[in-house]
């Protein structure tokens, strides 16, 4: 799941893609919004189309990639300039030990597959929460929750490591301690210019800390992203107050 705040709202067209959902190309022509210059090209005037991809990740990284790749190719077919994937798009493990075992560095095989996919589709990708083995992996044996932006050439142009970890008591389910396996990131990332506008990077539980959002907006962010992997309890606890 991914939430974003658009400023102003008439300057972006989005579509939701889920596994098994097929949308005819002509469907994107139904909107009649205002035109705006694309953020990275002063000579191009068109409305940016972005795709928000919904997936249910499992511990099977290969199958997760196949599912995400299908949605990304569909987004490219429909003319999107940027596709968003949720937190934990790479996998959701059964326990913290498996999470650490399945994690990879940014230079690993899985991100390499997404790099190739971005080039193949000519599409920018927001990879909402990658289980990253950082340079301190050997010392800490812990990972980062990393939001990665790839451009349409497949280059990593921005990374943000989640600063606010989700350590909470969930009624009826017991404790959730993200910090058992994850290290908080050291800093915010400056908003990144994309074909859809300047994007401010955040992840999931960061939503509860408005100072982060204010800092990103003051730095020029036009879109605030909160790629999330909420559950049946934590989701309503965050999104119902936000939408009310």
């Amino acid at each position: 799941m991914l939430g974003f705040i658009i400023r102003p709202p008439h300057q972006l067209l989005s579509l939701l893609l889920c596994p098994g959902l097929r949308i005819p190309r002509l469907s994107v022509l139904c909107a009649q919004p205002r035109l705006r210059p694309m953020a990275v090209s002063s000579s191009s005037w068109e409305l940016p189309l972005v795709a928000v991809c919904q997936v249910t990740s499992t511990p099977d990284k290969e199958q997760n990639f196949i599912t995400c790749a299908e949605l990304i190719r569909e987004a490219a077919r429909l003319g999107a300039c940027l596709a968003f994937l949720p937190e934990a798009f790479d996998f959701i493990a059964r326990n913290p030990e498996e999470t650490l075992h399945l994690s990879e560095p940014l230079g690993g095989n899985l991100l390499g597959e997404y790099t190739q996919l971005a080039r193949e589709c000519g599409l920018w990708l927001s990879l909402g929460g990658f289980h990253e083995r950082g340079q301190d992996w050997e010392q800490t044996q812990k990972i980062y929750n990393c939001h990665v932006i790839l451009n349409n050439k497949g280059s990593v142009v921005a990374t943000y490591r989640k600063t606010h970890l989700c350590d909470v008591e969930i009624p009826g389910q017991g404790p959730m301690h993200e910090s058992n396996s994850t290290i908080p990131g050291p800093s915010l990332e400056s908003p990144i210019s994309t074909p859809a506008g300047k994007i401010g990077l955040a992840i999931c539980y960061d939503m509860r800390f408005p100072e982060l959002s204010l800092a990103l907006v003051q730095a020029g962010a036009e879109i605030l992203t909160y790629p999330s992997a909420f559950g049946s309890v934590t989701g309503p606890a965050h999104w119902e107050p936000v939408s009310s």
Side-chain angles (χ1 to χ4, degrees), residues 55-66:
V55 298
T56 300
S57 295
T58 72
D60 188 337
K61 293 197 292 185
E62 182 177 353
Q63 184 57 53
N64 294 337
F65 175 76
I66 291 171

Side-chain angles (χ1 to χ4, degrees), residues 48-81:
L49 175 67
V50 301
V52 180
C53 303
Q54 299 269 42
V55 298
T56 300
S57 295
T58 72
D60 188 337
K61 293 197 292 185
E62 182 177 353
Q63 184 57 53
N64 294 337
F65 175 76
I66 291 171
T67 299
C68 290
E70 177 184 348
L71 296 179
I72 289 168
R73 291 189 175 102
E74 178 72 352
R77 184 186 74 84
L78 292 168
C81 62

Side-chain angles (χ1 to χ4, degrees), residues 179-200:
S179 61
N180 285 346
S181 59
T182 306
I183 303 170
S187 61
L188 301 183
E189 174 73 16
S190 297
I192 180 73
S193 293
T194 77
K198 294 192 73 172
I199 293 179

Side-chain angles (χ1 to χ4, degrees), residues 143-175:
I143 61 176
Y144 294 95
N145 190 341
C146 186
H147 189 163
V148 183
I149 301 293
L150 300 178
N151 66 14
N152 59 352
K153 305 297 183 183
S155 299
V156 176
V157 294
T159 55
Y160 162 71
R161 293 165 179 88
K162 186 180 180 183
T163 56
H164 301 102
L165 302 184
C166 188
D167 287 359
V168 298
E169 295 287 335
I170 302 176
Q173 295 185 19

Side-chain angles (χ1 to χ4, degrees), residues 79-98:
C81 62
L82 189 154
F84 292 92
L85 293 180
E87 181 185 29
F89 70 93
D90 50 351
F91 65 87
I92 290 182
R94 287 166 283 237
N95 53 60
E97 293 74 24
E98 187 176 41

